[in-house]
Amino acid sequence: MARTKMEGRLELKRKLARVSAAGKAVLEAEVEFEANDLVKRMKRIVPRRSGNLAKSIRKEPGPHELSWDVRAGGPLTTKKVGNRTYDGDVILGSGDTQGRKSKAGGKHVTYDYANAFEFGTQNQAADPFFFTTVRARRKAYKRRRTTALNKAVKAAVT
């Protein structure tokens, strides 16, 4: 087995550690900026009736440290449908629209109307605000992250 010795190996390791820390810090800032920007843009174009749908658009921490989840809907936009009650929760759009009817008490059928605006229903045309914004900004965000990361790497190496 032949062994080679790399000159400057320790210096390279130090530079790579600096690049990693600098890159992570830059990406954290960029990803949070993108989440804030998406929320702001979605709130600008969301259909306004009661204003609850716009209020429901928010960012939440994602599953790992370099991610944010942008969400719309939730308790502000969830409505009861009809007056029937069921043994368990029945959420329209989940595939379970039948459930088991309850004789007394029970849960009501609910529907998050954020989905109705985004995808439409048989009675209402779609008025998308969520995924159209994401798709429209995807390339710009990628370009922005790449530029910021390249600057951080150059600054950390020199």
Side-chain angles (χ1 to χ4, degrees), residues 70-102:
V70 176
R71 299 182 185 272
L76 281 174
T77 59
T78 301
K79 300 285 184 193
K80 184 176 93 164
V81 178
N83 58 3
R84 298 176 304 230
T85 57
Y86 296 87
D87 286 337
D89 285 327
V90 179
I91 302 168
L92 294 180
S94 67
D96 176 16
T97 56
Q98 298 303 312
R100 290 194 338 256
K101 287 191 178 181
S102 174

PDB file of all heavy atoms in Angstrom, residues 70-102:
ATOM      1  N   VAL A  70     -43.661  27.137   5.778  1.00  0.00           N
ATOM      2  CA  VAL A  70     -44.660  28.182   5.573  1.00  0.00           C
ATOM      3  C   VAL A  70     -45.993  27.471   5.453  1.00  0.00           C
ATOM      4  O   VAL A  70     -46.142  26.533   4.664  1.00  0.00           O
ATOM      5  CB  VAL A  70     -44.348  29.015   4.310  1.00  0.00           C
ATOM      6  CG1 VAL A  70     -45.445  30.034   4.055  1.00  0.00           C
ATOM      7  CG2 VAL A  70     -43.002  29.703   4.454  1.00  0.00           C
ATOM      8  N   ARG A  71     -46.955  27.887   6.247  1.00  0.00           N
ATOM      9  CA  ARG A  71     -48.257  27.222   6.298  1.00  0.00           C
ATOM     10  C   ARG A  71     -49.388  28.233   6.148  1.00  0.00           C
ATOM     11  O   ARG A  71     -49.249  29.392   6.503  1.00  0.00           O
ATOM     12  CB  ARG A  71     -48.429  26.491   7.620  1.00  0.00           C
ATOM     13  CG  ARG A  71     -47.408  25.416   7.853  1.00  0.00           C
ATOM     14  CD  ARG A  71     -47.678  24.697   9.155  1.00  0.00           C
ATOM     15  NE  ARG A  71     -46.651  23.739   9.464  1.00  0.00           N
ATOM     16  CZ  ARG A  71     -46.647  22.480   9.067  1.00  0.00           C
ATOM     17  NH1 ARG A  71     -47.636  22.043   8.322  1.00  0.00           N
ATOM     18  NH2 ARG A  71     -45.666  21.670   9.389  1.00  0.00           N
ATOM     19  N   ALA A  72     -50.514  27.720   5.651  1.00  0.00           N
ATOM     20  CA  ALA A  72     -51.741  28.510   5.580  1.00  0.00           C
ATOM     21  C   ALA A  72     -52.874  27.618   6.053  1.00  0.00           C
ATOM     22  O   ALA A  72     -52.853  26.409   5.850  1.00  0.00           O
ATOM     23  CB  ALA A  72     -51.997  28.979   4.158  1.00  0.00           C
ATOM     24  N   GLY A  73     -53.852  28.225   6.678  1.00  0.00           N
ATOM     25  CA  GLY A  73     -54.979  27.448   7.174  1.00  0.00           C
ATOM     26  C   GLY A  73     -54.802  27.119   8.641  1.00  0.00           C
ATOM     27  O   GLY A  73     -53.941  27.654   9.319  1.00  0.00           O
ATOM     28  N   GLY A  74     -55.651  26.247   9.126  1.00  0.00           N
ATOM     29  CA  GLY A  74     -55.607  25.874  10.531  1.00  0.00           C
ATOM     30  C   GLY A  74     -56.887  26.272  11.231  1.00  0.00           C
ATOM     31  O   GLY A  74     -57.947  26.400  10.603  1.00  0.00           O
ATOM     32  N   PRO A  75     -56.814  26.493  12.540  1.00  0.00           N
ATOM     33  CA  PRO A  75     -58.033  26.788  13.308  1.00  0.00           C
ATOM     34  C   PRO A  75     -58.803  28.026  12.826  1.00  0.00           C
ATOM     35  O   PRO A  75     -60.031  28.048  12.895  1.00  0.00           O
ATOM     36  CB  PRO A  75     -57.516  27.019  14.729  1.00  0.00           C
ATOM     37  CG  PRO A  75     -56.200  26.334  14.776  1.00  0.00           C
ATOM     38  CD  PRO A  75     -55.650  26.386  13.390  1.00  0.00           C
ATOM     39  N   LEU A  76     -58.111  29.028  12.321  1.00  0.00           N
ATOM     40  CA  LEU A  76     -58.804  30.243  11.861  1.00  0.00           C
ATOM     41  C   LEU A  76     -59.676  29.996  10.632  1.00  0.00           C
ATOM     42  O   LEU A  76     -60.661  30.700  10.409  1.00  0.00           O
ATOM     43  CB  LEU A  76     -57.786  31.338  11.516  1.00  0.00           C
ATOM     44  CG  LEU A  76     -57.193  32.114  12.670  1.00  0.00           C
ATOM     45  CD1 LEU A  76     -56.104  33.056  12.170  1.00  0.00           C
ATOM     46  CD2 LEU A  76     -58.273  32.905  13.387  1.00  0.00           C
ATOM     47  N   THR A  77     -59.297  29.025   9.817  1.00  0.00           N
ATOM     48  CA  THR A  77     -60.007  28.807   8.557  1.00  0.00           C
ATOM     49  C   THR A  77     -60.751  27.476   8.519  1.00  0.00           C
ATOM     50  O   THR A  77     -61.240  27.085   7.465  1.00  0.00           O
ATOM     51  CB  THR A  77     -59.023  28.867   7.374  1.00  0.00           C
ATOM     52  OG1 THR A  77     -58.014  27.877   7.556  1.00  0.00           O
ATOM     53  CG2 THR A  77     -58.404  30.231   7.257  1.00  0.00           C
ATOM     54  N   THR A  78     -60.846  26.769   9.630  1.00  0.00           N
ATOM     55  CA  THR A  78     -61.552  25.496   9.671  1.00  0.00           C
ATOM     56  C   THR A  78     -62.995  25.733  10.098  1.00  0.00           C
ATOM     57  O   THR A  78     -63.255  26.362  11.111  1.00  0.00           O
ATOM     58  CB  THR A  78     -60.863  24.524  10.630  1.00  0.00           C
ATOM     59  OG1 THR A  78     -59.518  24.324  10.183  1.00  0.00           O
ATOM     60  CG2 THR A  78     -61.566  23.175  10.659  1.00  0.00           C
ATOM     61  N   LYS A  79     -63.907  25.233   9.297  1.00  0.00           N
ATOM     62  CA  LYS A  79     -65.335  25.439   9.541  1.00  0.00           C
ATOM     63  C   LYS A  79     -66.045  24.099   9.696  1.00  0.00           C
ATOM     64  O   LYS A  79     -65.647  23.101   9.120  1.00  0.00           O
ATOM     65  CB  LYS A  79     -65.981  26.188   8.365  1.00  0.00           C
ATOM     66  CG  LYS A  79     -65.398  27.547   8.107  1.00  0.00           C
ATOM     67  CD  LYS A  79     -65.871  28.497   9.140  1.00  0.00           C
ATOM     68  CE  LYS A  79     -65.361  29.891   8.827  1.00  0.00           C
ATOM     69  NZ  LYS A  79     -65.520  30.791   9.900  1.00  0.00           N
ATOM     70  N   LYS A  80     -67.135  24.120  10.436  1.00  0.00           N
ATOM     71  CA  LYS A  80     -67.997  22.952  10.568  1.00  0.00           C
ATOM     72  C   LYS A  80     -68.884  22.887   9.324  1.00  0.00           C
ATOM     73  O   LYS A  80     -69.368  23.908   8.846  1.00  0.00           O
ATOM     74  CB  LYS A  80     -68.837  23.083  11.827  1.00  0.00           C
ATOM     75  CG  LYS A  80     -69.691  21.876  12.116  1.00  0.00           C
ATOM     76  CD  LYS A  80     -70.415  22.045  13.427  1.00  0.00           C
ATOM     77  CE  LYS A  80     -71.764  22.653  13.130  1.00  0.00           C
ATOM     78  NZ  LYS A  80     -72.721  22.542  14.202  1.00  0.00           N
ATOM     79  N   VAL A  81     -69.083  21.682   8.810  1.00  0.00           N
ATOM     80  CA  VAL A  81     -69.916  21.497   7.626  1.00  0.00           C
ATOM     81  C   VAL A  81     -71.161  20.729   8.038  1.00  0.00           C
ATOM     82  O   VAL A  81     -71.067  19.628   8.572  1.00  0.00           O
ATOM     83  CB  VAL A  81     -69.163  20.711   6.529  1.00  0.00           C
ATOM     84  CG1 VAL A  81     -70.057  20.487   5.326  1.00  0.00           C
ATOM     85  CG2 VAL A  81     -67.903  21.432   6.137  1.00  0.00           C
ATOM     86  N   GLY A  82     -72.296  21.293   7.794  1.00  0.00           N
ATOM     87  CA  GLY A  82     -73.554  20.614   8.113  1.00  0.00           C
ATOM     88  C   GLY A  82     -73.768  20.473   9.611  1.00  0.00           C
ATOM     89  O   GLY A  82     -73.042  21.022  10.430  1.00  0.00           O
ATOM     90  N   ASN A  83     -74.787  19.688   9.978  1.00  0.00           N
ATOM     91  CA  ASN A  83     -75.075  19.505  11.394  1.00  0.00           C
ATOM     92  C   ASN A  83     -75.038  18.042  11.805  1.00  0.00           C
ATOM     93  O   ASN A  83     -75.540  17.673  12.843  1.00  0.00           O
ATOM     94  CB  ASN A  83     -76.427  20.140  11.753  1.00  0.00           C
ATOM     95  CG  ASN A  83     -77.549  19.552  10.942  1.00  0.00           C
ATOM     96  OD1 ASN A  83     -77.349  18.635  10.152  1.00  0.00           O
ATOM     97  ND2 ASN A  83     -78.740  20.083  11.117  1.00  0.00           N
ATOM     98  N   ARG A  84     -74.479  17.189  10.973  1.00  0.00           N
ATOM     99  CA  ARG A  84     -74.353  15.780  11.325  1.00  0.00           C
ATOM    100  C   ARG A  84     -73.176  15.598  12.260  1.00  0.00           C
ATOM    101  O   ARG A  84     -72.211  16.355  12.214  1.00  0.00           O
ATOM    102  CB  ARG A  84     -74.137  14.950  10.055  1.00  0.00           C
ATOM    103  CG  ARG A  84     -75.303  15.036   9.097  1.00  0.00           C
ATOM    104  CD  ARG A  84     -74.964  14.279   7.845  1.00  0.00           C
ATOM    105  NE  ARG A  84     -73.720  14.810   7.290  1.00  0.00           N
ATOM    106  CZ  ARG A  84     -73.557  15.178   6.043  1.00  0.00           C
ATOM    107  NH1 ARG A  84     -74.546  15.095   5.205  1.00  0.00           N
ATOM    108  NH2 ARG A  84     -72.405  15.630   5.607  1.00  0.00           N
ATOM    109  N   THR A  85     -73.239  14.608  13.099  1.00  0.00           N
ATOM    110  CA  THR A  85     -72.131  14.310  13.993  1.00  0.00           C
ATOM    111  C   THR A  85     -71.663  12.875  13.764  1.00  0.00           C
ATOM    112  O   THR A  85     -72.451  12.010  13.357  1.00  0.00           O
ATOM    113  CB  THR A  85     -72.513  14.499  15.474  1.00  0.00           C
ATOM    114  OG1 THR A  85     -73.633  13.682  15.768  1.00  0.00           O
ATOM    115  CG2 THR A  85     -72.827  15.953  15.769  1.00  0.00           C
ATOM    116  N   TYR A  86     -70.386  12.628  14.032  1.00  0.00           N
ATOM    117  CA  TYR A  86     -69.763  11.324  13.788  1.00  0.00           C
ATOM    118  C   TYR A  86     -68.972  10.911  15.015  1.00  0.00           C
ATOM    119  O   TYR A  86     -68.647  11.732  15.874  1.00  0.00           O
ATOM    120  CB  TYR A  86     -68.844  11.400  12.562  1.00  0.00           C
ATOM    121  CG  TYR A  86     -69.595  11.695  11.295  1.00  0.00           C
ATOM    122  CD1 TYR A  86     -69.866  12.999  10.912  1.00  0.00           C
ATOM    123  CD2 TYR A  86     -70.054  10.673  10.489  1.00  0.00           C
ATOM    124  CE1 TYR A  86     -70.576  13.277   9.761  1.00  0.00           C
ATOM    125  CE2 TYR A  86     -70.763  10.934   9.335  1.00  0.00           C
ATOM    126  CZ  TYR A  86     -71.025  12.238   8.970  1.00  0.00           C
ATOM    127  OH  TYR A  86     -71.719  12.498   7.834  1.00  0.00           O
ATOM    128  N   ASP A  87     -68.647   9.622  15.096  1.00  0.00           N
ATOM    129  CA  ASP A  87     -67.880   9.102  16.230  1.00  0.00           C
ATOM    130  C   ASP A  87     -66.482   9.694  16.297  1.00  0.00           C
ATOM    131  O   ASP A  87     -65.948   9.913  17.358  1.00  0.00           O
ATOM    132  CB  ASP A  87     -67.764   7.575  16.158  1.00  0.00           C
ATOM    133  CG  ASP A  87     -69.087   6.907  16.526  1.00  0.00           C
ATOM    134  OD1 ASP A  87     -69.896   7.546  17.222  1.00  0.00           O
ATOM    135  OD2 ASP A  87     -69.306   5.765  16.116  1.00  0.00           O
ATOM    136  N   GLY A  88     -65.862   9.943  15.173  1.00  0.00           N
ATOM    137  CA  GLY A  88     -64.507  10.496  15.140  1.00  0.00           C
ATOM    138  C   GLY A  88     -64.473  11.710  14.238  1.00  0.00           C
ATOM    139  O   GLY A  88     -65.466  12.048  13.583  1.00  0.00           O
ATOM    140  N   ASP A  89     -63.317  12.363  14.205  1.00  0.00           N
ATOM    141  CA  ASP A  89     -63.174  13.513  13.318  1.00  0.00           C
ATOM    142  C   ASP A  89     -63.263  13.067  11.874  1.00  0.00           C
ATOM    143  O   ASP A  89     -62.680  12.049  11.489  1.00  0.00           O
ATOM    144  CB  ASP A  89     -61.808  14.187  13.524  1.00  0.00           C
ATOM    145  CG  ASP A  89     -61.773  14.984  14.805  1.00  0.00           C
ATOM    146  OD1 ASP A  89     -62.814  15.525  15.183  1.00  0.00           O
ATOM    147  OD2 ASP A  89     -60.703  15.056  15.410  1.00  0.00           O
ATOM    148  N   VAL A  90     -63.984  13.794  11.094  1.00  0.00           N
ATOM    149  CA  VAL A  90     -64.050  13.574   9.649  1.00  0.00           C
ATOM    150  C   VAL A  90     -63.602  14.865   9.004  1.00  0.00           C
ATOM    151  O   VAL A  90     -64.195  15.916   9.213  1.00  0.00           O
ATOM    152  CB  VAL A  90     -65.472  13.207   9.181  1.00  0.00           C
ATOM    153  CG1 VAL A  90     -65.494  13.015   7.676  1.00  0.00           C
ATOM    154  CG2 VAL A  90     -65.947  11.954   9.883  1.00  0.00           C
ATOM    155  N   ILE A  91     -62.521  14.809   8.242  1.00  0.00           N
ATOM    156  CA  ILE A  91     -61.977  16.004   7.617  1.00  0.00           C
ATOM    157  C   ILE A  91     -62.172  15.877   6.115  1.00  0.00           C
ATOM    158  O   ILE A  91     -61.640  14.957   5.495  1.00  0.00           O
ATOM    159  CB  ILE A  91     -60.486  16.172   7.961  1.00  0.00           C
ATOM    160  CG1 ILE A  91     -60.320  16.241   9.481  1.00  0.00           C
ATOM    161  CG2 ILE A  91     -59.922  17.403   7.276  1.00  0.00           C
ATOM    162  CD1 ILE A  91     -58.900  16.129   9.944  1.00  0.00           C
ATOM    163  N   LEU A  92     -62.958  16.754   5.558  1.00  0.00           N
ATOM    164  CA  LEU A  92     -63.189  16.708   4.112  1.00  0.00           C
ATOM    165  C   LEU A  92     -61.882  16.945   3.382  1.00  0.00           C
ATOM    166  O   LEU A  92     -61.059  17.755   3.791  1.00  0.00           O
ATOM    167  CB  LEU A  92     -64.220  17.762   3.707  1.00  0.00           C
ATOM    168  CG  LEU A  92     -65.632  17.529   4.248  1.00  0.00           C
ATOM    169  CD1 LEU A  92     -66.551  18.643   3.787  1.00  0.00           C
ATOM    170  CD2 LEU A  92     -66.168  16.202   3.812  1.00  0.00           C
ATOM    171  N   GLY A  93     -61.701  16.236   2.298  1.00  0.00           N
ATOM    172  CA  GLY A  93     -60.475  16.367   1.533  1.00  0.00           C
ATOM    173  C   GLY A  93     -59.443  15.339   1.966  1.00  0.00           C
ATOM    174  O   GLY A  93     -58.406  15.205   1.352  1.00  0.00           O
ATOM    175  N   SER A  94     -59.728  14.582   3.020  1.00  0.00           N
ATOM    176  CA  SER A  94     -58.771  13.593   3.499  1.00  0.00           C
ATOM    177  C   SER A  94     -59.057  12.215   2.931  1.00  0.00           C
ATOM    178  O   SER A  94     -58.332  11.271   3.197  1.00  0.00           O
ATOM    179  CB  SER A  94     -58.813  13.517   5.030  1.00  0.00           C
ATOM    180  OG  SER A  94     -60.063  13.000   5.441  1.00  0.00           O
ATOM    181  N   GLY A  95     -60.136  12.071   2.182  1.00  0.00           N
ATOM    182  CA  GLY A  95     -60.499  10.773   1.635  1.00  0.00           C
ATOM    183  C   GLY A  95     -61.592  10.104   2.454  1.00  0.00           C
ATOM    184  O   GLY A  95     -62.296   9.236   1.969  1.00  0.00           O
ATOM    185  N   ASP A  96     -61.764  10.478   3.715  1.00  0.00           N
ATOM    186  CA  ASP A  96     -62.788   9.905   4.570  1.00  0.00           C
ATOM    187  C   ASP A  96     -63.936  10.896   4.666  1.00  0.00           C
ATOM    188  O   ASP A  96     -63.937  11.795   5.493  1.00  0.00           O
ATOM    189  CB  ASP A  96     -62.232   9.616   5.965  1.00  0.00           C
ATOM    190  CG  ASP A  96     -63.307   9.091   6.923  1.00  0.00           C
ATOM    191  OD1 ASP A  96     -64.373   8.676   6.428  1.00  0.00           O
ATOM    192  OD2 ASP A  96     -63.081   9.116   8.136  1.00  0.00           O
ATOM    193  N   THR A  97     -64.912  10.753   3.791  1.00  0.00           N
ATOM    194  CA  THR A  97     -66.043  11.675   3.828  1.00  0.00           C
ATOM    195  C   THR A  97     -67.289  10.992   4.381  1.00  0.00           C
ATOM    196  O   THR A  97     -68.337  11.601   4.438  1.00  0.00           O
ATOM    197  CB  THR A  97     -66.349  12.218   2.422  1.00  0.00           C
ATOM    198  OG1 THR A  97     -66.569  11.105   1.555  1.00  0.00           O
ATOM    199  CG2 THR A  97     -65.215  13.069   1.917  1.00  0.00           C
ATOM    200  N   GLN A  98     -67.182   9.742   4.766  1.00  0.00           N
ATOM    201  CA  GLN A  98     -68.345   9.029   5.279  1.00  0.00           C
ATOM    202  C   GLN A  98     -68.322   8.978   6.802  1.00  0.00           C
ATOM    203  O   GLN A  98     -69.218   9.469   7.449  1.00  0.00           O
ATOM    204  CB  GLN A  98     -68.393   7.596   4.720  1.00  0.00           C
ATOM    205  CG  GLN A  98     -68.519   7.554   3.206  1.00  0.00           C
ATOM    206  CD  GLN A  98     -69.754   8.306   2.729  1.00  0.00           C
ATOM    207  OE1 GLN A  98     -70.849   8.121   3.237  1.00  0.00           O
ATOM    208  NE2 GLN A  98     -69.580   9.174   1.752  1.00  0.00           N
ATOM    209  N   GLY A  99     -67.276   8.401   7.376  1.00  0.00           N
ATOM    210  CA  GLY A  99     -67.218   8.276   8.826  1.00  0.00           C
ATOM    211  C   GLY A  99     -68.327   7.365   9.324  1.00  0.00           C
ATOM    212  O   GLY A  99     -69.048   6.761   8.547  1.00  0.00           O
ATOM    213  N   ARG A 100     -68.447   7.257  10.625  1.00  0.00           N
ATOM    214  CA  ARG A 100     -69.542   6.497  11.225  1.00  0.00           C
ATOM    215  C   ARG A 100     -70.424   7.480  11.977  1.00  0.00           C
ATOM    216  O   ARG A 100     -69.956   8.188  12.863  1.00  0.00           O
ATOM    217  CB  ARG A 100     -68.982   5.441  12.177  1.00  0.00           C
ATOM    218  CG  ARG A 100     -68.273   4.322  11.451  1.00  0.00           C
ATOM    219  CD  ARG A 100     -68.008   3.107  12.333  1.00  0.00           C
ATOM    220  NE  ARG A 100     -68.000   3.361  13.758  1.00  0.00           N
ATOM    221  CZ  ARG A 100     -66.903   3.439  14.506  1.00  0.00           C
ATOM    222  NH1 ARG A 100     -65.722   3.312  13.965  1.00  0.00           N
ATOM    223  NH2 ARG A 100     -66.986   3.648  15.803  1.00  0.00           N
ATOM    224  N   LYS A 101     -71.686   7.502  11.634  1.00  0.00           N
ATOM    225  CA  LYS A 101     -72.587   8.452  12.275  1.00  0.00           C
ATOM    226  C   LYS A 101     -72.731   8.126  13.754  1.00  0.00           C
ATOM    227  O   LYS A 101     -72.781   6.972  14.154  1.00  0.00           O
ATOM    228  CB  LYS A 101     -73.958   8.441  11.606  1.00  0.00           C
ATOM    229  CG  LYS A 101     -73.936   9.104  10.257  1.00  0.00           C
ATOM    230  CD  LYS A 101     -75.315   9.316   9.736  1.00  0.00           C
ATOM    231  CE  LYS A 101     -75.209  10.035   8.410  1.00  0.00           C
ATOM    232  NZ  LYS A 101     -76.478  10.314   7.814  1.00  0.00           N
ATOM    233  N   SER A 102     -72.793   9.181  14.546  1.00  0.00           N
ATOM    234  CA  SER A 102     -72.938   9.047  15.989  1.00  0.00           C
ATOM    235  C   SER A 102     -74.375   9.359  16.362  1.00  0.00           C
ATOM    236  O   SER A 102     -74.996  10.238  15.787  1.00  0.00           O
ATOM    237  CB  SER A 102     -71.985  10.019  16.690  1.00  0.00           C
ATOM    238  OG  SER A 102     -72.203   9.995  18.070  1.00  0.00           O
TER     239      SER A 102
END
